[in-house]
Amino acid sequence: MPTDIIMPQMGESIVEGTITKWLKKPGDKVQRDEPLFEISTDKVDAEIPAPASGVLQEIKVTEGTTVGVNTVVGTIAVDGEAAAAKPAAAPAKAAPPAPAPKEEKKPAPAPVQAAAPPAPAAKEEEDETRSSPLVRKIAREHGVSLSQVSGTGLGGRITKQDITQFIENQASRVGTDASVRPAERSEAVPSPAPSPAPRPAAPAPYPGDLVPMTNMRKLIAKHMIESRRTSAHVHCMYEVDFTRIVNLRAKLKAGFEQRHGVRLTFMPFFVRAAIIALQQWPIINANIEGDNIRYHRNINVGIAVALDWGLIVPVLKNAGDLNFLGLQRGITDLGERARTKKLKPEDVEGSTFTITNPGQFGAVFGLPIINQPNSAIMGVGGITKQPLVITDKDGSDSIAIRSVVHLTLGYDHRLIDGAVADQFMAQVKKNLEAWSEEIG
């Protein structure tokens, strides 16, 4: 009996989902838990894994269609049933790239010997490289050696963004790189697999084109307008001497990654500094409910993540209970899962305060819109070197080159007074400039 593929319920409040892309076509082999299709809900975009191993027998719901949860969207047949049911279709469709790449996977090392040298090499490469099944699939389809790709994920893990960026760079060099195996490349030509490469071109259509919004873009637009209509937005900005932390990170980042398997970034410094200030100024962590004020017991920090296809704000729950290493691991994990569409609805719910980082793209500072129902959002600008007047203990002034960052706070003036917002930001500034905590 074929196994039904159903539209999953991604949360208690989720009643439907839109299939945005099928990652396999009828006749393709699939492994259990391998990404099978992508969906978009009113909370998150996610990749849905295959419920069983076998052959994708039928797609019942096409891309772009919205259906209710528990709807059967396709079926998977076990290998034997698929071969018996479709003797002609299997060779015609599976002969190109589908079977060969699948034999490279760990479950079937013996049959791969028939594929000669490339198969064992690919298997060894996949065993040694930290990557997801989706990343390995894209690499195989494009004939790319993962050993040539630098990973930016947790512990050097290669993300989907890493592999697609590498493929784009290779394409711009007319595809002559040594990591492209000619035999596999010729097999991949007739396959629709190269579709991930042109993806980045989608956000820049030809002038005059009318392109429908994605579900995520519609939700972002709605959320931003609602926030503007709801909160009385006011912003304040503070200049922070970030030199102490810049030097500290430069000194400790190599050892930190070696010990803990995670890169040391600047974001946990900002999060920790904000947490300390939130504990002293709990009104910044509160929100309005009707004519009442809700003071939250926990500090749940939403951290905005820019994606190729939009923006999402996963939430670091109970951040006030985490040490520095816990913050770094949590931030890295949320960012990685956001970019690989592995977030769950609960991962983007319940924030009490938000931090966004426009500075990663070079902005000096930003004036962000409040993430409802929060009452405040902190924007982190770019870190630049500037001449500053430094006053020593004796009161003597001098000019020095320092690393500087500009922080902004967008706050709801219905709840937070300007004096309170300024005192909160002054505390954040002090926490960063006089940093003394151990980072692990």
Coordinates of all heavy atoms in Angstrom, one line a residue, residues 5 19 21-38 48-50 52 54-63 73-76 93 97-103 105 133-134 136-138 140-141 191-193 195:
I5 N 1.1 11.2 1.8 CA 1.9 12.3 2.3 C 0.8 13.4 2.7 O 0.0 13.8 1.8 CB 2.8 12.9 1.2 CG1 3.7 11.8 0.6 CG2 3.6 14.1 1.7 CD1 4.3 12.2 -0.7
I19 N 1.6 24.9 -0.4 CA 2.8 24.2 -1.0 C 3.5 25.2 -1.9 O 2.9 25.5 -3.0 CB 2.4 22.9 -1.7 CG1 1.8 21.9 -0.7 CG2 3.6 22.3 -2.4 CD1 1.5 20.5 -1.3
K21 N 6.8 24.6 -3.1 CA 7.7 23.9 -4.0 C 7.8 22.4 -3.7 O 7.9 22.1 -2.5 CB 9.1 24.5 -3.9 CG 10.1 23.9 -4.9 CD 11.4 24.6 -4.9 CE 12.4 24.0 -5.9 NZ 13.7 24.6 -5.9
W22 N 7.7 21.6 -4.7 CA 8.0 20.2 -4.6 C 9.5 20.0 -4.9 O 10.0 20.5 -5.9 CB 7.2 19.4 -5.5 CG 5.8 19.1 -5.0 CD1 4.7 19.9 -5.3 CD2 5.4 18.1 -4.1 NE1 3.6 19.4 -4.7 CE2 4.0 18.3 -3.9 CE3 6.0 17.0 -3.5 CZ2 3.2 17.4 -3.1 CZ3 5.3 16.2 -2.6 CH2 3.9 16.4 -2.5
L23 N 10.2 19.3 -4.0 CA 11.7 19.1 -4.2 C 11.9 17.8 -4.9 O 13.1 17.5 -5.3 CB 12.4 19.0 -2.8 CG 12.2 20.3 -1.9 CD1 12.8 20.1 -0.5 CD2 12.7 21.5 -2.6
K24 N 10.9 17.0 -5.2 CA 11.0 15.8 -5.9 C 9.9 15.8 -7.0 O 8.9 16.5 -6.9 CB 10.8 14.6 -5.0 CG 11.9 14.4 -4.0 CD 13.2 13.9 -4.7 CE 14.2 13.6 -3.6 NZ 15.5 13.1 -4.2
K25 N 10.0 15.0 -8.0 CA 9.0 14.8 -9.0 C 8.5 13.3 -9.0 O 9.3 12.5 -8.6 CB 9.5 15.2 -10.4 CG 10.7 14.5 -10.9 CD 11.1 15.1 -12.2 CE 12.3 14.3 -12.8 NZ 13.5 14.3 -11.9
P26 N 7.3 13.0 -9.6 CA 6.9 11.6 -9.6 C 7.9 10.8 -10.3 O 8.5 11.1 -11.3 CB 5.6 11.7 -10.4 CG 5.1 13.1 -10.1 CD 6.3 14.0 -10.1
G27 N 8.2 9.6 -9.7 CA 9.2 8.7 -10.2 C 10.5 8.8 -9.5 O 11.4 7.9 -9.6
D28 N 10.8 9.9 -8.8 CA 12.0 10.1 -8.0 C 12.0 9.2 -6.8 O 11.0 9.1 -6.1 CB 12.2 11.5 -7.6 CG 12.7 12.4 -8.8 OD1 12.9 11.8 -9.9 OD2 12.7 13.6 -8.6
K29 N 13.2 8.7 -6.4 CA 13.4 8.0 -5.2 C 13.5 9.0 -4.0 O 14.1 10.0 -4.2 CB 14.6 7.1 -5.2 CG 14.4 5.8 -6.1 CD 15.6 4.9 -6.0 CE 15.4 3.6 -6.8 NZ 16.6 2.7 -6.6
V30 N 13.0 8.6 -2.9 CA 13.1 9.4 -1.7 C 13.5 8.6 -0.5 O 13.1 7.4 -0.5 CB 11.7 10.2 -1.4 CG1 11.4 11.1 -2.5 CG2 10.6 9.2 -1.2
Q31 N 14.2 9.2 0.4 CA 14.5 8.5 1.7 C 13.7 9.1 2.8 O 13.4 10.3 2.8 CB 16.0 8.7 2.0 CG 17.0 8.1 1.0 CD 17.0 6.6 1.0 OE1 16.8 6.0 2.1 NE2 17.2 6.0 -0.1
R32 N 13.3 8.3 3.7 CA 12.6 8.7 4.9 C 13.3 9.9 5.6 O 14.5 9.9 5.7 CB 12.4 7.6 5.9 CG 11.6 8.0 7.1 CD 11.5 6.8 8.1 NE 10.8 7.2 9.3 CZ 9.5 7.2 9.5 NH1 8.7 6.7 8.5 NH2 8.9 7.6 10.6
D33 N 12.6 11.0 5.9 CA 13.1 12.2 6.5 C 13.9 13.1 5.6 O 14.4 14.1 6.0 CB 13.9 11.8 7.8 CG 13.1 11.2 8.9 OD1 11.9 11.5 9.0 OD2 13.7 10.3 9.6
E34 N 14.0 12.7 4.3 CA 14.6 13.6 3.4 C 13.6 14.7 3.0 O 12.4 14.5 2.8 CB 15.0 12.8 2.1 CG 15.6 13.7 1.0 CD 15.9 12.8 -0.2 OE1 15.4 11.7 -0.3 OE2 16.6 13.4 -1.1
P35 N 14.1 16.0 2.9 CA 13.1 17.1 2.5 C 12.4 16.7 1.2 O 13.0 16.4 0.2 CB 14.0 18.3 2.3 CG 15.2 18.0 3.2 CD 15.4 16.5 3.1
L36 N 11.0 16.8 1.3 CA 10.2 16.4 0.1 C 9.5 17.6 -0.5 O 9.4 17.7 -1.8 CB 9.2 15.4 0.6 CG 8.3 14.7 -0.4 CD1 9.1 14.0 -1.5 CD2 7.3 13.7 0.2
F37 N 9.0 18.5 0.3 CA 8.3 19.7 -0.3 C 8.4 20.8 0.7 O 8.7 20.6 1.9 CB 6.9 19.4 -0.7 CG 6.0 19.0 0.4 CD1 5.1 19.9 1.0 CD2 5.9 17.7 0.8 CE1 4.2 19.5 2.0 CE2 5.1 17.2 1.8 CZ 4.2 18.1 2.4
E38 N 8.2 22.0 0.2 CA 8.3 23.2 1.1 C 6.8 23.8 1.2 O 6.1 23.8 0.2 CB 9.2 24.3 0.5 CG 10.6 23.9 0.4 CD 11.5 24.9 -0.2 OE1 11.0 26.0 -0.7 OE2 12.7 24.7 -0.3
I48 N 9.2 20.0 4.5 CA 8.5 18.9 5.1 C 9.3 17.6 4.7 O 9.4 17.4 3.5 CB 7.1 18.8 4.7 CG1 6.4 20.2 5.1 CG2 6.4 17.7 5.4 CD1 6.5 20.6 6.5
P49 N 9.7 16.7 5.6 CA 10.4 15.5 5.3 C 9.4 14.4 4.7 O 8.2 14.4 5.0 CB 11.0 15.1 6.6 CG 10.1 15.6 7.6 CD 9.6 16.9 7.1
A50 N 10.0 13.5 4.0 CA 9.3 12.4 3.5 C 8.9 11.4 4.7 O 9.7 11.2 5.5 CB 10.1 11.6 2.5
A52 N 8.2 8.3 4.5 CA 8.7 6.9 4.3 C 9.7 6.9 3.1 O 9.8 7.9 2.3 CB 7.5 6.0 4.0
G54 N 11.0 5.3 -0.5 CA 10.4 4.6 -1.6 C 10.5 5.5 -2.8 O 11.5 6.2 -3.1
V55 N 9.4 5.6 -3.6 CA 9.4 6.4 -4.8 C 8.2 7.3 -4.8 O 7.1 6.8 -4.4 CB 9.3 5.5 -6.1 CG1 9.1 6.3 -7.4 CG2 10.5 4.6 -6.3
L56 N 8.4 8.6 -5.1 CA 7.2 9.5 -5.1 C 6.3 9.1 -6.3 O 6.6 9.2 -7.4 CB 7.7 10.9 -5.3 CG 6.6 12.0 -5.4 CD1 5.8 12.0 -4.1 CD2 7.3 13.4 -5.6
Q57 N 5.2 8.5 -5.9 CA 4.2 8.0 -6.9 C 3.3 9.0 -7.5 O 3.1 9.0 -8.7 CB 3.4 6.9 -6.2 CG 2.5 6.1 -7.1 CD 1.7 5.0 -6.4 OE1 1.0 5.3 -5.4 NE2 1.9 3.8 -6.8
E58 N 2.8 9.9 -6.7 CA 1.8 10.9 -7.2 C 1.9 12.2 -6.4 O 2.0 12.2 -5.2 CB 0.4 10.3 -7.1 CG -0.7 11.2 -7.7 CD -2.0 10.6 -7.5 OE1 -2.2 9.5 -6.9 OE2 -3.0 11.2 -8.0
I59 N 1.8 13.3 -7.1 CA 1.6 14.6 -6.5 C 0.1 15.0 -6.7 O -0.3 15.2 -7.8 CB 2.5 15.6 -7.1 CG1 4.0 15.3 -6.7 CG2 2.2 17.1 -6.7 CD1 5.0 16.3 -7.3
K60 N -0.6 15.1 -5.6 CA -2.0 15.4 -5.7 C -2.3 16.9 -5.6 O -3.4 17.4 -6.0 CB -2.8 14.7 -4.6 CG -2.8 13.2 -4.8 CD -3.7 12.4 -3.8 CE -3.7 10.9 -4.1 NZ -4.6 10.2 -3.2
V61 N -1.4 17.7 -4.9 CA -1.6 19.1 -4.7 C -0.4 19.8 -5.4 O 0.7 19.6 -5.0 CB -1.7 19.5 -3.2 CG1 -1.9 21.0 -3.1 CG2 -2.9 18.7 -2.6
T62 N -0.7 20.7 -6.3 CA 0.4 21.4 -7.1 C 0.9 22.6 -6.3 O 0.3 23.0 -5.4 CB -0.1 21.8 -8.4 OG1 -1.3 22.7 -8.2 CG2 -0.6 20.7 -9.3
E63 N 2.1 23.0 -6.8 CA 2.7 24.2 -6.1 C 1.8 25.4 -6.2 O 1.2 25.6 -7.2 CB 4.1 24.5 -6.8 CG 5.1 23.4 -6.6 CD 6.4 23.7 -7.4 OE1 6.4 24.7 -8.1 OE2 7.3 22.9 -7.3
V73 N -1.5 15.2 0.1 CA -1.0 16.0 -1.0 C -0.2 15.2 -2.0 O 0.2 15.6 -3.0 CB -0.1 17.1 -0.4 CG1 -0.9 18.1 0.5 CG2 1.1 16.6 0.3
G74 N 0.0 13.9 -1.6 CA 0.8 13.0 -2.5 C 0.9 11.6 -1.9 O 0.4 11.4 -0.8
T75 N 1.5 10.7 -2.7 CA 1.7 9.4 -2.2 C 3.1 8.9 -2.5 O 3.7 9.3 -3.5 CB 0.7 8.4 -2.8 OG1 0.8 8.4 -4.2 CG2 -0.7 8.7 -2.4
I76 N 3.6 8.0 -1.6 CA 4.9 7.3 -1.8 C 4.7 5.8 -1.9 O 4.1 5.3 -1.0 CB 5.9 7.7 -0.7 CG1 6.2 9.2 -0.7 CG2 7.2 6.9 -0.8 CD1 7.1 9.6 0.5
K93 N 12.3 7.8 -16.3 CA 12.4 9.0 -15.5 C 13.6 8.9 -14.5 O 14.2 9.9 -14.2 CB 11.1 9.2 -14.7 CG 10.7 10.6 -14.7 CD 9.3 10.8 -14.4 CE 8.9 12.1 -14.8 NZ 7.5 12.5 -14.6
P97 N 19.4 11.5 -13.4 CA 20.2 11.7 -12.1 C 19.6 11.1 -10.9 O 20.3 11.0 -9.9 CB 20.2 13.2 -12.0 CG 19.1 13.7 -12.8 CD 18.7 12.7 -13.8
A98 N 18.3 10.7 -10.9 CA 17.7 10.4 -9.6 C 18.3 9.2 -9.0 O 18.6 9.2 -7.8 CB 16.2 10.2 -9.8
P99 N 18.4 8.0 -9.7 CA 18.9 6.8 -8.9 C 20.3 7.0 -8.6 O 20.7 6.7 -7.5 CB 18.7 5.7 -9.9 CG 17.7 6.2 -10.9 CD 17.9 7.7 -11.0
A100 N 21.2 7.4 -9.5 CA 22.6 7.5 -9.2 C 23.0 8.3 -8.0 O 23.7 7.8 -7.1 CB 23.4 8.0 -10.5
P101 N 22.4 9.5 -7.9 CA 22.8 10.3 -6.7 C 22.3 9.6 -5.4 O 23.0 9.7 -4.4 CB 22.1 11.6 -6.9 CG 21.9 11.7 -8.3 CD 21.7 10.3 -8.8
K102 N 21.1 8.9 -5.4 CA 20.6 8.3 -4.2 C 21.5 7.2 -3.7 O 21.6 6.9 -2.6 CB 19.2 7.8 -4.4 CG 18.2 8.9 -4.6 CD 18.2 9.8 -3.4 CE 17.6 11.1 -3.7 NZ 17.9 12.0 -2.7
E103 N 22.2 6.5 -4.7 CA 23.0 5.4 -4.3 C 24.3 5.9 -3.5 O 24.9 5.1 -2.9 CB 23.5 4.6 -5.6 CG 22.3 4.2 -6.4 CD 22.1 2.7 -6.4 OE1 23.0 2.0 -6.6 OE2 21.0 2.3 -6.1
K105 N 24.2 7.8 -1.1 CA 23.9 8.0 0.3 C 24.3 6.9 1.2 O 24.5 5.8 0.8 CB 22.3 8.3 0.5 CG 21.9 9.5 -0.2 CD 20.4 9.8 0.1 CE 20.2 10.3 1.6 NZ 20.5 11.7 1.7
P133 N 20.8 16.7 4.5 CA 20.5 16.0 3.2 C 20.2 16.9 2.1 O 20.5 16.6 0.9 CB 19.2 15.2 3.7 CG 19.4 15.0 5.1 CD 20.0 16.3 5.6
L134 N 19.5 18.0 2.3 CA 19.2 18.9 1.3 C 20.4 19.5 0.6 O 20.5 19.6 -0.6 CB 18.3 20.1 1.8 CG 17.9 21.2 0.8 CD1 17.2 20.6 -0.4 CD2 17.1 22.3 1.4
R136 N 23.4 18.2 0.6 CA 24.1 17.1 -0.2 C 23.4 16.9 -1.5 O 24.0 16.6 -2.5 CB 24.2 15.9 0.7 CG 25.1 16.1 1.9 CD 25.5 14.7 2.6 NE 24.3 14.1 3.2 CZ 23.9 14.3 4.4 NH1 24.6 15.2 5.2 NH2 22.9 13.6 5.0
K137 N 22.1 16.9 -1.5 CA 21.3 16.7 -2.7 C 21.6 17.8 -3.7 O 21.9 17.5 -4.9 CB 19.8 16.8 -2.4 CG 18.9 16.8 -3.6 CD 17.4 16.8 -3.1 CE 16.5 16.9 -4.3 NZ 16.5 18.2 -4.9
I138 N 21.6 19.1 -3.3 CA 21.9 20.1 -4.2 C 23.4 20.0 -4.8 O 23.6 20.2 -5.9 CB 21.8 21.5 -3.5 CG1 20.3 21.7 -3.1 CG2 22.3 22.6 -4.4 CD1 20.1 23.0 -2.3
R140 N 25.1 17.2 -5.1 CA 25.2 16.1 -6.1 C 24.6 16.5 -7.4 O 25.1 16.2 -8.5 CB 24.5 14.9 -5.6 CG 25.2 14.1 -4.5 CD 24.6 12.8 -4.2 NE 23.2 12.8 -3.8 CZ 22.8 12.9 -2.6 NH1 23.7 13.0 -1.6 NH2 21.5 13.0 -2.3
E141 N 23.4 17.2 -7.4 CA 22.7 17.6 -8.6 C 23.6 18.5 -9.5 O 23.4 18.6 -10.7 CB 21.4 18.2 -8.3 CG 20.4 17.2 -7.7 CD 19.1 17.8 -7.3 OE1 19.1 19.0 -7.0 OE2 18.1 17.1 -7.1
S191 N 18.1 17.3 -16.1 CA 17.2 17.3 -14.9 C 16.8 18.7 -14.6 O 17.5 19.7 -14.8 CB 18.1 16.7 -13.8 OG 17.4 17.0 -12.6
P192 N 15.6 18.9 -13.9 CA 15.2 20.2 -13.5 C 16.0 20.7 -12.3 O 15.7 21.7 -11.7 CB 13.7 20.0 -13.2 CG 13.6 18.6 -12.8 CD 14.6 17.9 -13.7
A193 N 16.9 19.9 -11.8 CA 17.6 20.2 -10.6 C 18.3 21.6 -10.5 O 18.4 22.2 -9.5 CB 18.7 19.1 -10.3
S195 N 17.4 24.3 -11.0 CA 16.5 25.4 -10.6 C 16.9 26.2 -9.4 O 16.7 27.4 -9.4 CB 15.1 24.9 -10.4 OG 15.1 23.9 -9.4

